[in-house]
Amino acid sequence: MSSTELPSVPATSVLPEVALVRIAEGERLRSVGLPGVTLSVRSRPPAREGLPPALYVHGLGGSSLNWSALMAGLDGVVESEALDLPGFGDSPPPDDGDYSITGHARAVIRYLDATGRGPVHLFGNSLGGAVTTRVAAVRPDLVRTLTLVSPALPELRVQRSAVPTGLLSVPGVAGLFTRLTREWTVEQRVQSAMALCYGDPDQVTPEAFQHAVDELERRLRLPYFWDAMARSARGLVNAYTLGGQHGLWRQAERVLAPTLLIYGGRDQLVGYRMAQKAARSFRDSRLLSLPEAGHVAMMEYPDMVAERVRELLGEVGELDLVDGTEASARVGDAVGDGDFGSADGGAAAGGAGADAITGS
């Protein structure tokens, strides 16, 4: 049993009284009990009956809040749900303390099996991209399409700005970091995180910045916050070292679902150069490159991402795009010219401060 599977904080004793989780307008939050894990699930009431289901999975240190803007942008297109992985957002730690990629993927699969919502349009960002890649590879029956935003798949030459995230996986480093940064204010932590994750942090509105501060203050009060971060980072690093059929790139090659890949040119955590490798690895892929975006394109450019998702659903026959040709042309022009309009860093930035506190 690896160290990622050994709980240092019993799940039954980690229910402190903290501030309520922020719920954006039009959203609902509920808790779902499953064998060995309890998941917090954020959703938007469907605009009409019969919409295809979608499920969103956040990155390391993130939460379901990361998807609020994109979920709103896909109203009337899909029935959206975003879950908090075990130990993140409003979900308590897993009973077995397993924060590996497989452990997180198992939680997603258990949720989909228990609710019977599959096959879903599955979304993943960063760590969530690695998790959803594994889900799509081992349970193709649960995935209709796969959309990956800066997926954390193995890189031989890791960017220097991503090294701290990897170091977090080393036992004791999280404790050392907390001691070295104990004088930092929450505002400073959020500023540092947004500078790391956003292509242009100046696009984040003051309101969104305050939401991120409030969320990080809440989560720093959780006694398992750093433990979940460190063990999930360790699980990601361990997944990078796996070879054979369990390797993430090998599993990417096994994904059958039509896949949309989204990469940001200013991403400091996942190399922009990995976009072409990913496009070659996923057998039925299409690529959206956003040169001005950072690590969380769905938060910076939710309208553009939503538009491309609509096109993907149109391609697989789940959306009647009346003006699909025009929409495709607009996205193509934007990618080619680097003209992305205004980045909407406000609607979903409430989770960004906590999401990027260490990177992915």
Side-chain angles (χ1 to χ4, degrees):
M1 181 177 290
S2 72
S3 59
T4 58
E5 298 173 330
L6 298 175
S8 63
V9 182
T12 57
S13 65
V14 289
L15 299 174
E17 293 186 7
V18 296
L20 296 176
V21 174
R22 177 173 170 265
I23 303 176
E25 184 177 355
E27 293 181 345
R28 298 172 180 172
L29 200 65
R30 73 182 192 280
S31 182
V32 179
L34 301 168
V37 69
T38 298
L39 299 177
S40 177
V41 180
R42 184 180 303 269
S43 63
R44 295 185 66 86
R48 56 185 172 83
E49 293 186 2
L51 291 176
L55 184 68
Y56 307 77
V57 183
H58 61 80
L60 179 63
S63 77
S64 55
L65 273 168
N66 293 38
W67 299 102
S68 288
L70 183 59
M71 289 167 65
L74 292 175
D75 274 351
V77 178
V78 294
E79 182 180 347
S80 291
E81 290 187 342
L83 56 78
D84 291 327
L85 290 172
F88 294 96
D90 205 36
S91 293
D95 290 352
D96 61 1
D98 186 354
Y99 289 101
S100 65
I101 297 297
T102 297
H104 285 315
R106 187 181 300 119
V108 175
I109 290 171
R110 284 178 179 171
Y111 175 73
L112 289 174
D113 279 340
T115 58
R117 297 185 78 238
V120 299
H121 296 288
L122 189 60
F123 295 72
N125 170 234
S126 195
L127 167 70
V131 170
T132 53
T133 294
R134 181 153 293 176
V135 171
V138 302
R139 288 293 304 274
D141 58 304
L142 295 177
V143 183
R144 181 70 179 96
T145 66
L146 180 64
T147 297
L148 303 176
V149 182
S150 296
L153 300 175
E155 300 182 45
L156 291 178
R157 293 184 296 116
V158 177
Q159 296 183 98
R160 186 174 301 175
S161 52
V163 170
T165 300
L167 290 177
L168 182 65
S169 66
V170 178
V173 169
L176 175 62
F177 179 78
T178 56
R179 290 193 296 273
L180 292 175
T181 62
R182 61 176 173 265
E183 300 301 324
W184 289 16
T185 65
V186 177
E187 287 78 9
Q188 287 174 318
R189 293 177 188 272
V190 171
Q191 286 175 341
S192 176
M194 288 184 169
L196 187 63
C197 275
Y198 280 78
D200 182 5
D202 291 338
Q203 294 291 335
V204 179
T205 66
E207 180 184 19
F209 181 82
Q210 187 57 51
H211 286 323
V213 169
D214 294 341
E215 174 62 8
L216 183 55
E217 284 180 335
R218 184 192 72 82
R219 293 166 71 179
L220 285 172
R221 293 185 59 194
L222 298 170
Y224 53 82
F225 174 78
W226 284 112
D227 188 63
M229 291 282 287
R231 289 170 181 267
S232 290
R234 197 173 308 150
L236 183 59
V237 170
N238 288 345
Y240 275 30
T241 64
L242 290 176
Q245 63 179 346
H246 299 295
L248 285 171
W249 284 115
R250 180 66 63 84
Q251 292 193 323
E253 295 171 355
R254 291 169 52 192
V255 172
L256 301 176
T259 302
L260 171 60
L261 302 164
I262 302 173
Y263 281 81
R266 294 185 177 181
D267 194 333
Q268 300 181 62
L269 297 165
V270 169
Y272 190 51
R273 64 183 180 279
M274 302 305 295
Q276 292 301 325
K277 177 176 175 59
R280 292 192 300 268
S281 298
F282 289 88
R283 65 180 71 189
D284 185 6
S285 69
R286 59 277 296 143
L287 175 63
L288 175 60
S289 297
L290 300 175
E292 302 300 318
H295 191 60
V296 286
M298 72 288 188
M299 299 170 74
E300 292 185 273
Y301 299 98
D303 292 342
M304 182 168 291
V305 172
E307 186 174 48
R308 190 61 188 90
V309 170
R310 291 189 194 98
E311 292 182 39
L312 174 62
L313 268 62
E315 292 174 27
V316 300
E318 294 203 3
L319 181 68
D320 182 15
L321 279 178
V322 177
D323 58 347
T325 302
E326 295 179 3
S328 179
R330 287 197 299 273
V331 172
D333 291 343
V335 174
D337 299 340
D339 178 14
F340 307 102
S342 61
D344 182 2
D355 308 342
I357 195 68
T358 60
S360 183

